[in-house]
Amino acid sequence: MVAAVRREVADLVDVAARDGELDWDAYARTWWRMVRQLVLGTSARDDEALTDDLHVLRATANWAFLHPARRARRDRFLEAVRRRIAFAEPGSLAASMPFAHVTGRTEPEQQVPQWLFAFDAAAWASYRALALLASHPDALARAREEIAGRDLSVTQDLPYLRAVVLESLRLWPTTPALLRETTAPTRWEGRRVPEDTLVLTYAPYFHRDDERLEEADRFAPELWTGPRTEADWPLVPFSAGPAECPGRNLVLHVTSTVLALLVDASGEDGPRLVGRHPLDPDAALPGTLDPFSLRFALGPAGD
């Protein structure tokens, strides 16, 4: 995985050097080339049609019953996924499918879109994490200290950069609404709630509750550099409990590796945010952050 990430980030750095800056479009193209390799193998690197279909299906699903189902596109997408699984390359996530427990209800091709969904959200989180590093000099210096002297061509444990990604997700959750259903009658603030009641946890409220979290609106990766207990105020960037995202560590491994490589390639002066942006280390961070407008300079100042 690290080899694929390194190749793609190196290409991205070259593109940024050619264009004079790194923008979302270049980052997203590189991200999806990398993700298709991680999930399906190197032969899928340039299969943009597959992920384009996925993006259309997701956009349609956001409208639920208000938009006609795209059955033909869905069937085409799932058939393409089935073909990729049948010839999955060693080292890809899809290559694990032959070893999965199989039942009459097992549909491997329905799992692969879930992996791709998770990596889609990780693109936003990692790009925002890069913006947090670029706008907070002390954090960027600590990130440089973490990678100094490390061989980034092999897997590395990068706890601080993982914490930066987690903090990006705390500040701007990619899954703001967590849904659960009660399995037994419950007392809630003095009132009885029957079983089978739908409960919605709105993560941005908990993550930014300034009455219970001193760091609510500032960049505080130190929240994640030690173990968290039930006594701590609940933060759920990957959900929690039995339905916690099973890809948590995979996503954190990939995103922290991407950040390490970009910081390393940027030298002492970068990465730096260019143009107008709302991130000020001395002010409360905004409640939302549009990743599509963020641009970075990666090379030395003045280049």
Side-chain angles (χ1 to χ4, degrees):
M1 286 187 171
V2 171
V5 174
R6 277 178 57 82
R7 287 193 301 269
E8 296 306 323
V9 172
D11 286 349
L12 179 62
V13 170
D14 288 344
V15 169
R18 181 197 68 199
D19 296 343
E21 63 184 31
L22 168 63
D23 62 15
W24 169 258
D25 289 343
Y27 186 83
R29 282 193 300 271
T30 295
W31 181 266
W32 281 108
R33 287 177 186 140
M34 179 186 72
V35 167
R36 287 190 293 266
Q37 292 176 77
L38 299 182
V39 175
L40 299 167
T42 55
S43 65
R45 177 186 185 270
D46 298 316
D47 191 355
E48 295 182 1
L50 185 142
T51 43
D52 285 349
D53 278 348
L54 179 63
H55 297 327
V56 171
L57 291 168
R58 289 191 66 187
T60 300
N62 288 337
W63 291 94
F65 61 90
L66 296 176
H67 195 292
R70 296 181 179 270
R71 292 185 175 84
R73 188 182 291 265
R74 182 192 62 194
D75 292 344
R76 181 177 71 191
F77 168 73
L78 291 176
E79 177 56 32
V81 171
R82 279 191 288 268
R83 289 197 303 270
R84 289 288 180 186
I85 292 174
F87 299 99
E89 298 171 32
S92 66
L93 289 176
S96 67
M97 285 301 186
F99 307 99
H101 177 65
V102 177
T103 72
R105 300 175 62 188
T106 303
E107 297 184 62
E109 69 273 14
Q110 297 285 1
Q111 179 60 56
V112 172
Q114 300 295 325
W115 296 338
L116 295 171
F117 292 165
F119 276 116
D120 192 12
W124 290 42
S126 58
Y127 200 63
R128 286 169 172 157
L130 185 65
L132 287 168
L133 287 172
S135 58
H136 291 75
D138 291 345
L140 182 56
R142 185 165 174 183
R144 288 199 186 100
E145 289 176 5
E146 181 167 76
I147 65 175
R150 290 177 182 252
D151 181 1
L152 297 179
S153 67
V154 297
T155 297
Q156 295 286 347
D157 182 23
L158 302 166
Y160 186 73
L161 285 171
R162 287 168 68 103
V164 170
V165 176
L166 285 163
E167 184 65 350
S168 168
L169 287 165
R170 178 186 74 84
L171 292 164
W172 303 292
T174 53
T175 305
L178 307 180
L179 300 178
R180 296 292 186 270
E181 192 171 285
T182 61
T183 58
T186 307
R187 300 296 297 180
W188 191 278
E189 295 189 347
R191 303 186 67 175
R192 183 181 182 277
V193 178
E195 63 180 306
D196 300 326
T197 297
L198 187 66
V199 178
L200 183 149
T201 299
Y202 187 58
Y205 172 80
F206 285 92
H207 289 183
R208 296 273 194 131
D209 188 342
D210 57 9
E211 294 183 4
R212 295 176 172 84
L213 193 64
E214 182 181 352
E215 305 88 346
D217 296 314
R218 70 174 179 84
F219 177 44
E222 63 271 14
L223 287 170
W224 307 99
T225 53
R228 296 190 61 79
T229 69
E230 291 186 1
D232 294 315
W233 186 242
L235 302 174
V236 286
F238 282 90
S239 188
E244 182 178 35
C245 175
R248 172 189 172 107
N249 286 322
L250 174 62
V251 166
L252 290 173
H253 170 52
V254 172
T255 52
S256 62
T257 301
V258 169
L259 290 178
L261 292 167
L262 286 173
V263 169
D264 186 56
S266 299
E268 294 185 1
D269 295 328
R272 305 181 309 282
L273 281 165
V274 297
R276 297 182 61 184
H277 62 83
L279 302 181
D280 182 344
D282 298 319
L285 292 171
T288 59
L289 181 63
D290 173 17
F292 310 123
S293 62
L294 298 174
R295 296 177 292 119
F296 299 87
L298 298 184
D303 278 16

